[in-house]
């Protein structure tokens, strides 16, 4: 089992920045691909970004590419999502997930955090 806890969400104005953190405990954190998904009200959960176990490969949805940066520190069992130039359409609950069965689809991930709310005002 891997337990994931997100933090860092909040309310920010459009154009602002936030950094989300995902703290992991349990099984070896560095064994897993880590991803961030998000779910806006009334919409399906969607992929935002992922990072390989070593951190050498990163993946982004087109909607966040160039604005968001994913990273991880395996020594601290923590992953991060730096979000810059935020837009109102980035408003969502952001979830951290760990798994090894794919990259961009939610069913590739076995472990999920409880989510953290990000609200971007216009």
């Amino acid at each position: 089992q891997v337990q994931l806890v997100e933090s860092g969400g909040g309310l920010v104005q459009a154009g602002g920045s936030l950094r989300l953190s995902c703290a992991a405990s349990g099984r070896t954190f560095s064994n897993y691909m880590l991803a961030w998904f998000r779910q806006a009200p009334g919409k399906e959960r969607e992929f935002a970004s992922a990072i390989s176990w070593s951190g050498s490969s990163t993946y982004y949805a087109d909607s966040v590419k160039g604005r968001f940066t994913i990273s991880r520190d395996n020594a601290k069992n923590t992953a991060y999502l730096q979000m810059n130039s935020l837009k109102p359409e980035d408003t969502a609950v952001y979830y951290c997930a760990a798994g090894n069965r794919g990259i961009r689809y939610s069913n590739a991930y076995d472990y999920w955090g409880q989510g953290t709310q990000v609200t971007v005002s216009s």
Side-chain angles (χ1 to χ4, degrees):
Q1 289 285 341
V2 176
Q3 291 78 42
L4 303 171
V5 179
E6 303 95 336
S7 62
L11 174 64
V12 63
Q13 288 188 333
S17 298
L18 282 174
R19 188 175 83 153
L20 305 184
S21 298
C22 173
S25 61
R27 285 191 172 183
T28 307
F29 175 77
S30 58
N31 287 350
Y32 296 93
M33 170 94 60
L34 265 290
W36 289 94
F37 286 78
R38 64 185 186 181
Q39 188 167 18
K43 295 188 177 181
E44 293 187 354
R45 190 172 298 188
E46 66 173 9
F47 171 80
S49 183
I51 187 167
S52 62
W53 66 271
S54 66
S56 60
S57 298
T58 57
Y59 310 86
Y60 297 95
D62 289 342
S63 57
V64 308
K65 196 174 296 182
R67 299 187 298 121
F68 290 11
T69 302
I70 191 170
S71 62
R72 67 190 295 167
D73 184 339
N74 288 338
K76 295 183 178 180
N77 286 352
T78 304
Y80 306 95
L81 186 67
Q82 178 67 44
M83 306 186 295
N84 298 330
S85 301
L86 283 162
K87 305 175 182 180
E89 50 263 44
D90 293 319
T91 295
V93 177
Y94 283 71
Y95 298 91
C96 176
N100 276 323
R101 295 182 287 113
I103 298 173
R104 297 179 183 269
Y105 296 97
S106 59
N107 60 9
Y109 296 88
D110 297 309
Y111 306 105
W112 292 82
Q114 82 290 347
T116 185
Q117 176 70 47
V118 171
T119 303
V120 184
S121 63
S122 58

